[in-house]
Amino acid sequence: MNFDFSDDQRLLQDAVRTMLADTSTSQAVREVLEGRASHSEAVWRNLIEMGAAAAAIPEQYGGAGLGYLELCLVAEEAGRHLVAVPLSSSFYLAAEAILRAGSEAQKQHWLPKIAGGELVATAALGSRERYRAPAPLAFEGATLTGTSPALVDGGIAGLAVLRVADELVLVDLAGAGVSRTPVPTLDPTRPLTALHFDHTPAERLPAAEAATVAARVLDGAAVLLAFEQVGGAARILEATRDYSLERKAFGRQIGSFQALKHKMAEIYTAIELARVHAYYGAWALSSDAPELPKAAAAARVSATRAYVVAAEEGIELHGGIGFTWEMDCHLHYRRARHLGQLIGSEHAWRARLADELIKEAA
Amino acid sequence: MDFRDTPEEAAFRAEVRAWLEANGQKRSRPDEVFGEGLDEAARLAAAKAWQAKKAAAGYAAITWPKAAGGRGGTAMQQVIYQQEEAAFVVPGMIFEISIGMGLPTVMTWAAPELKARFLRPGLAGEEIWCQLFSEPGAGSDTGGVRTRAVREGDEWVVNGQKVWTSGAHFCDYGILLTRTDWDKPKQEGLTMFIVDMKAPGVEVRPIHQMSGDSEFNEVFFTDVRIPDAYRLGPECGGWKVMLSTLMQERLSVGGNLPTDLHAHLIALARKCAWDARPAIEDDRVRARIADAYLQQKGVELVIARGLTAISKGKAPGPEMSITKLVAAKAMQDIAAFALELAGPEGLIGYEALGGDWRYMQRLWLGAPGARIAGGTDEILKNVIAERVLGLPGEIRTDRKVPFRELEHG
């Protein structure tokens, strides 16, 4: 057993961290937050050029062919630096769906474009929860009609993979009958767009079982998002710790008060538990182990919880200043919510974990 | 990153499994415990016999150097042994203090002739050790001990009282923290000794715990004489000796969260009803099963990270404190939920309700102690805040004051 990343993997992580510290600054994230940009163009270009974003896409399809463990560490840094780029849409979801369910022709046509960054792809593969009417999309063998109500990166995407009933459908967004409506969102650093289709040409991803493929892709995304969540949680805890050492009240550093120390110890504990579940998930993902559904759900639930707790308590521990627009606390608060609901809620994934455990105990 | 055994690990696992199957008794149900139906003397004799067999086969102290009677193996081999042994009915807590705390302290601090005298019989289970640190006035604040040792020639004379001493009623030797200088600040006037628990003047009284068990004792010392050769570390160097022992304890206590609690919950939830349906079908019940897994598997994985660090020649840091913190509270929460599954009938003791409930009921009664032993939750949160996160230490007014001038509560 060796429960750690290799030195080479850590080197890649360091390189990504250095690049993101320079480019995914608070200012760069705020360009997107305040609507002056759709995403952080420089960050995106760098992640593509380093081969970091396409780490898990095989070389034959234009990717870096490194693997999932590398992509996990890239994700952790992305989370730390609140990157405002379509990493999860293009690489955790759309590319994975095409890789696992697409025909050889579809893979050869689309994956190199995604890997090289000339095309942003997005995906909606379904989750347990649903608010809007259950069948807003209809796929009739060659065309798609209806609305997908809230796609991350839908505004800049050139390609979408959508779950329509029992099928996975690939839609070229340059096709006829596509229109887009930006929708307001609680995390404007990751804008949402409604996509409308009116007899838009579309094709199936031919894998036999759409539900099985979607579940597998979502498991992988759960692991990768868990790394983003752990990265974000660790960063907001560090910032909060630093602030508590600077700020004084009642004649002392506020970080010397036991009520605050204990709260930070609890956040740290939640993060470390999430971290080990994420590592376990990374192993299961990278080795395609039968434990993946269980490990992915455990990573998803614990990382969602850890980031939400860190973000909520980060504001609380900063006091009034933490509630202002100028501080970055709310960026983490928003991002924690975004990542926590992007592929279904903590509760839905906890239910999935329970399903797996009960199945195993049968 | 790989969770599977390396070829060497797989070979060791096969060897251990073969030995256990030839020598041990496989568990027939998940909560079967060692020595059921035996009285304490018979259970102790059986436990010693098992430990002797285990030591002879080289599994009593896998990570210890060969010169000290160990196997010179790796931490990973130790874990593999424990994983395999978990399927067998073996003595629980009897030798844990000996091998986890007492003997390592002897190995680190005692003179060569004492090591030769104590290590082998300790490993073989012929002699059992206890740890005598806590006192009525010194629990989490271990530096507050008042048991007095006064030098008389080549001997020390000890008077005072210890408390919470696991197994003292069947132990042969103990490591004893005493105060030898009352004019130094609290942590600087302490000295550690080996004490013979059968020596004149040592009196052990069992403590009746809230669980109804008596695992712990009070130990009284009245003019107990200890040869100076039994001193561990320098005079007034006891604090450092104690810290080396406690780091071992936090690791070993942290590793004690069972990994199958969610499976017990599942088994119980299948037998109970909720809103006239099997409880296992209820989403609230399922959510708690998932959370139980998250906590116990999390602790297991944190330990796996620590072991990986050890196997690469790095020391696992104070961040390992989270294992004890998470494990003890998880035990309490999971057990309480298990009892709730049965509704009002869940209050009926397992003797009348059924053996299925023994495990969770005993876990629930033991959990409050687990949250205190080896450092309370609050102390451990301070450790994390100060030593991992670098936050300021607690304000202490007793640091530089001679011990005799401190107020005692």
Side-chain angles (χ1 to χ4, degrees):
Chain A
M1 191 200 75
N2 174 17
F3 192 23
D4 200 1
F5 291 91
S6 71
D7 291 344
D8 282 349
Q9 286 158 351
R10 294 290 186 194
L11 280 177
L12 171 70
Q13 181 180 24
D14 287 346
V16 171
R17 179 180 292 206
T18 306
M19 183 278 286
L20 291 177
D22 289 341
T23 49
S24 189
T25 57
S26 174
Q27 203 46 48
V29 176
R30 280 159 186 277
E31 290 289 311
V32 183
L33 174 76
E34 292 168 4
R36 293 189 295 278
S38 60
H39 64 291
S40 300
E41 178 58 38
V43 174
W44 188 232
R45 206 172 47 240
N46 287 340
L47 282 171
I48 294 288
E49 279 170 10
M50 291 172 84
I57 295 185
E59 282 171 299
Q60 65 189 107
Y61 302 122
L66 292 168
Y68 290 106
L69 292 175
E70 287 76 5
L71 187 57
C72 285
L73 294 178
V74 172
E76 183 178 347
E77 293 311 311
R80 276 187 74 82
H81 295 91
L82 285 162
V83 297
V85 297
L87 192 57
S88 57
S89 305
S90 272
F91 288 97
Y92 307 169
L93 293 168
E96 284 293 306
I98 295 167
L99 198 55
R100 290 180 185 282
S103 66
E104 191 55 33
Q106 286 168 331
K107 289 186 218 181
Q108 284 188 3
H109 182 70
W110 294 109
L111 289 175
K113 292 183 170 59
I114 295 172
E118 59 185 278
L119 180 81
V120 168
T122 185
L125 303 180
S127 71
R128 286 195 181 204
E129 317 88 330
R130 184 178 288 280
Y131 170 65
R132 300 234 165 159
L137 285 174
F139 176 59
E140 281 139 5
T143 65
L144 186 68
T145 295
T147 293
S148 188
L151 273 168
V152 190
D153 303 309
I156 57 172
L159 181 72
V161 178
L162 302 172
R163 174 107 175 255
V164 186
D166 292 331
E167 296 187 284
L168 290 177
V169 177
L170 193 64
V171 203
D172 181 346
L173 298 177
V178 176
S179 58
R180 311 181 197 228
T181 315
V183 290
T185 162
L186 293 174
D187 178 14
T189 69
R190 303 294 293 117
L192 294 178
T193 302
L195 290 184
H196 315 287
F197 304 101
D198 181 8
H199 297 93
T200 303
E203 54 188 68
R204 296 177 66 233
L205 291 177
E209 276 273 346
T212 309
V213 174
R216 175 64 179 71
V217 172
L218 288 170
D219 281 346
V223 172
L224 291 159
L225 290 171
F227 275 86
E228 281 202 32
Q229 291 166 313
V230 165
R235 180 68 199 106
I236 187 71
L237 175 60
E238 283 168 22
T240 303
R241 185 267 320 270
D242 292 349
Y243 179 74
S244 81
L245 292 173
E246 277 167 28
R247 166 80 177 166
K248 292 197 172 113
F250 306 102
R252 289 159 61 177
Q253 292 163 298
I254 62 170
S256 71
F257 291 107
Q258 203 175 62
L260 276 67
K261 287 166 68 175
H262 282 191
K263 192 164 264 190
M264 284 185 260
E266 286 158 12
I267 299 168
Y268 173 82
T269 303
I271 293 172
E272 288 307 294
L273 283 183
R275 182 184 296 283
V276 291
H277 280 297
Y279 280 26
Y280 188 56
W283 165 75
L285 176 62
S286 68
S287 56
D288 213 6
E291 288 90 341
L292 179 62
K294 194 169 69 172
R300 173 76 182 156
V301 174
S302 55
T304 298
R305 195 91 293 270
Y307 199 10
V308 166
V309 167
E312 288 176 356
E313 299 305 321
I315 295 177
E316 175 74 11
L317 289 164
H318 275 76
I321 191 84
F323 192 60
T324 63
W325 188 260
E326 286 69 29
M327 295 295 284
D328 285 353
C329 293
H330 68 106
L331 302 182
H332 286 283
Y333 188 67
R334 293 172 194 281
R335 186 61 67 85
R337 184 51 52 201
H338 167 79
L339 295 180
Q341 292 189 209
L342 181 58
I343 55 167
S345 73
E346 172 193 341
H347 306 288
W349 281 89
R350 187 180 277 112
R352 176 158 163 71
L353 175 56
D355 292 347
E356 291 297 322
L357 294 170
I358 290 165
K359 199 162 69 184
E360 183 184 76
Chain B
M1 188 179 288
D2 198 346
F3 271 89
R4 296 184 194 94
D5 287 339
T6 63
E8 295 78 28
E9 287 163 359
F12 183 74
R13 191 183 294 281
E15 175 202 319
V16 165
R17 195 172 291 173
W19 183 82
L20 283 166
E21 273 164 9
N23 293 279
Q25 183 200 332
K26 242 195 167 131
R27 226 177 265 283
S28 60
R29 31 167 246 280
D31 60 346
E32 185 175 6
V33 295
F34 183 83
E36 273 175 25
L38 298 180
D39 65 21
E40 184 168 283
R43 192 162 62 237
L44 202 59
K48 286 183 167 186
W50 168 253
Q51 185 69 17
K53 244 198 289 192
K54 187 169 154 180
Y59 298 124
I62 289 167
T63 59
W64 286 24
K66 284 190 172 149
R71 185 189 187 89
T74 64
M76 202 54 67
Q77 290 178 330
Q78 178 66 47
V79 171
I80 289 168
Y81 181 84
Q82 280 162 350
Q83 286 171 343
E84 294 299 319
E85 203 191 54
F88 289 78
V89 189
V90 294
M93 294 290 287
I94 295 175
F95 304 102
E96 272 194 12
I97 307 273
S98 292
I99 292 174
M101 300 176 77
L103 297 174
T105 309
V106 170
M107 184 160 61
T108 310
W109 298 96
E113 52 276 23
L114 283 188
K115 289 189 211 178
R117 157 70 190 81
F118 285 119
L119 293 183
R120 198 207 53 80
L123 285 182
E126 290 161 24
E127 293 166 350
I128 309 181
W129 288 66
C130 56
Q131 175 258 93
L132 302 141
F133 295 174
S134 291
E135 295 187 8
S140 291
D141 181 11
T142 319
V145 306
R146 296 168 64 77
T147 291
R148 174 191 301 264
V150 178
R151 190 165 188 146
E152 284 185 12
D154 281 346
E155 285 187 328
W156 294 79
V157 179
V158 177
N159 282 282
Q161 182 197 348
K162 294 288 172 179
V163 74
W164 312 124
T165 313
S166 309
H169 53 296
F170 56 69
C171 281
D172 304 285
Y173 291 91
I175 48 172
L176 171 69
L177 189 65
T178 66
R179 183 161 304 280
T180 47
D181 190 334
W182 293 61
D183 294 313
K184 288 193 161 136
K186 58 195 295 186
Q187 293 168 355
E188 296 169 24
L190 302 168
T191 304
M192 187 82 83
F193 294 97
I194 297 170
V195 62
D196 178 352
M197 295 298 287
K198 309 286 192 270
V202 179
E203 186 199 345
V204 177
R205 292 184 204 157
I207 296 172
H208 207 50
Q209 292 155 230
M210 54 175 277
S211 62
D213 294 336
S214 297
E215 298 162 293
F216 301 111
N217 302 275
E218 294 179 289
V219 182
F220 295 86
F221 295 90
T222 310
D223 293 330
V224 175
R225 306 190 82 86
I226 299 179
D228 185 56
Y230 276 28
R231 178 162 45 79
L232 292 170
E235 257 186 82
C236 293
W239 183 251
K240 211 173 147 194
V241 179
M242 185 204 68
L243 287 182
S244 74
T245 311
L246 284 185
M247 275 321 291
Q248 307 263 358
E249 183 185 28
R250 290 214 174 120
L251 276 176
S252 74
V253 175
N256 280 340
L257 183 63
T259 55
D260 56 356
L261 293 179
H262 70 281
H264 282 268
L265 273 186
I266 290 170
L268 293 173
R270 288 203 162 112
K271 294 176 184 176
C272 296
W274 194 313
D275 286 342
R277 281 192 305 152
I280 191 75
E281 292 172 15
D282 189 278
D283 287 341
R284 290 159 294 192
V285 175
R286 296 167 81 96
R288 297 300 292 263
I289 288 166
D291 283 335
Y293 169 83
L294 284 172
Q295 289 171 312
Q296 67 201 13
K297 184 72 181 178
V299 169
E300 188 187 330
L301 293 172
V302 170
I303 292 169
R305 267 190 95 197
L307 286 168
T308 300
I310 291 171
S311 71
K312 291 183 175 176
K314 300 177 211 155
E319 63 272 12
M320 296 297 283
S321 296
I322 74 169
T323 57
K324 210 291 268 193
L325 186 64
V326 174
K329 183 71 174 103
M331 230 184 261
Q332 194 164 38
D333 292 346
I334 294 166
F337 186 72
L339 305 192
E340 286 175 353
L341 284 173
E345 290 164 37
L347 287 172
I348 299 171
Y350 70 87
E351 302 88 335
L353 189 62
D356 293 351
W357 295 91
R358 182 180 195 277
Y359 189 72
M360 287 296 184
Q361 290 192 353
R362 295 191 62 79
L363 198 64
W364 181 75
L365 281 165
R371 291 185 57 194
I372 296 165
T376 63
D377 287 4
E378 290 69 25
I379 292 286
L380 294 179
K381 285 181 194 171
N382 279 353
V383 169
I384 294 164
E386 293 168 20
R387 295 180 54 197
V388 181
L389 299 177
L391 293 165
E394 290 304 295
I395 293 171
R396 287 183 180 154
T397 54
D398 58 2
R399 268 269 162 79
K400 297 193 169 125
V401 184
F403 188 75
R404 69 167 76 250
E405 290 171 22
L406 290 177
E407 280 188 42
H408 300 289

